[in-house]
Amino acid sequence: NERYLKYIKESLKIVYPGHAHYRISSPLGWPETIEKISAEDVSGWHKKNYGKGNFFVVLTGAITDLEVDLLSNFIRDLPKVEPSGDYSNSYNKPQISKIIKSADEIGEVKEQVEISISRFTWNLPYEKNEIARIYQILLADLLNERLRIEHSLCYAVKVFFSLEKDYSQILINVNTEEKNISLVESEVRSVIKEIEGGKHEARFNLNKTSKLEKSRSMERLSDQIADEALEEVSKYNGHIISHNEQLGFMESVTHQEVIDFSKQYMDPSYIFTEIILPSKK
């Protein structure tokens, strides 16, 4: 879909100027760059990056001494490589604050308007992650109540939060009718301002308690533990967050911290809005 590829390239460079994150939709490259990758390129990358000093191994479950010894022997025979470098820490404002396109124009098919409101910025230390998580839950709760229940503007509001090694991102996604665009944008801004004004402390306490109870009662399988540990150890320079540590971070989150987080994170000058109008064909 050449039209969609063209649109994605242009829009990502607008949203993420000066940062490698503009390649997020195609981390392996684009059709014209992938075509140029040779077997020698892949082999050279492997030799440079795959070895001791540049990866983590996490073991969970019923592990025997024999299996640990076999793995140790395998790792011992690997070549030593240099750790991967740090990514850019530049988080510039979007070049423009809003894009409005029709689905037909960019080669997509949509029956409703899709409104996406996002902020891309610095990474968070693991000690602060739960502030972002509870903020995400509170924002999603309030937006669903306001947009879906009070105004009947949509079936649901989705609020995504991505916390990575070198960046974090929030994304609010709403599907609605064209006549509702201005009202959706206005209500999203209003809810964020209400949080920052300290209006929803009771709802904050309710969401925090619910998240704590869910986390305390959750059963975790070995493969889930391994996946989470691998993700954390690569993000946080070798640190793995234990379940008790995570619960402690949740318990310590205050309403004021969520207010301060929103004021800093949801700076309007860094917010980018993408509006895709429905197909006309």
Side-chain angles (χ1 to χ4, degrees), residues 56-224:
F56 297 97
V57 177
V58 174
L59 303 178
T60 63
I63 306 299
T64 67
D65 290 341
L66 175 60
E67 289 164 334
V68 174
D69 290 340
L70 289 171
L71 181 59
S72 297
N73 291 335
F74 169 73
I75 293 174
R76 186 174 57 246
D77 293 337
L78 289 176
K80 187 174 182 179
V81 300
E82 292 297 321
S84 297
D86 292 332
Y87 293 95
S88 168
N89 199 33
S90 172
Y91 305 104
N92 301 315
K93 296 178 182 179
Q95 293 175 345
I96 58 176
S97 62
K98 183 185 293 187
I99 289 179
I100 301 176
K101 296 281 186 178
S102 71
D104 298 323
E105 187 179 357
I106 65 174
E108 285 197 301
V109 176
K110 291 187 183 295
E111 295 182 357
Q112 289 189 306
V113 172
E114 182 174 1
I115 303 172
S116 299
I117 300 170
S118 62
R119 167 73 197 269
F120 166 71
T121 187
W122 65 90
N123 62 325
L124 295 170
Y126 65 85
E127 299 92 341
K128 301 295 184 182
N129 274 2
E130 295 307 322
I131 298 173
R133 297 296 186 193
I134 292 175
Y135 176 74
Q136 172 193 3
I137 294 169
L138 176 62
L139 183 59
D141 185 19
L142 293 170
L143 286 176
N144 270 286
E145 182 180 83
R146 189 71 52 85
L147 299 181
R148 184 171 66 89
I149 298 173
E150 291 185 18
H151 293 299
S152 300
L153 298 177
C154 55
Y155 288 112
V157 180
K158 297 179 181 178
V159 180
F160 304 94
F161 222 113
S162 180
L163 299 166
E164 305 299 335
K165 179 178 181 179
D166 63 317
Y167 71 91
S168 58
Q169 181 182 39
I170 191 169
L171 172 65
I172 302 165
N173 187 269
V174 181
N175 289 289
T176 187
E177 298 179 43
E178 284 189 67
K179 64 181 182 179
N180 299 328
I181 292 175
S182 295
L183 182 56
V184 167
E185 290 186 274
S186 174
E187 288 297 333
V188 170
R189 288 193 296 270
S190 293
V191 168
I192 292 171
K193 285 297 183 184
E194 288 170 12
I195 293 173
E196 294 171 0
K199 184 176 179 180
H200 298 289
E201 185 172 4
R203 190 67 65 87
F204 159 80
N205 290 326
L206 182 65
N207 281 292
K208 176 181 170 179
T209 299
S210 176
K211 180 171 171 58
L212 274 166
E213 290 176 351
K214 182 178 179 180
S215 296
R216 287 191 182 106
S217 62
M218 183 182 297
E219 293 186 11
R220 301 185 179 187
L221 302 176
S222 291
D223 62 335
Q224 293 173 319

Side-chain angles (χ1 to χ4, degrees), residues 15 23 41 51 68 108 128 140 226 281:
V15 181
R23 289 183 52 182
D41 292 330
V68 174
E108 285 197 301
K128 301 295 184 182
K281 296 179 180 179

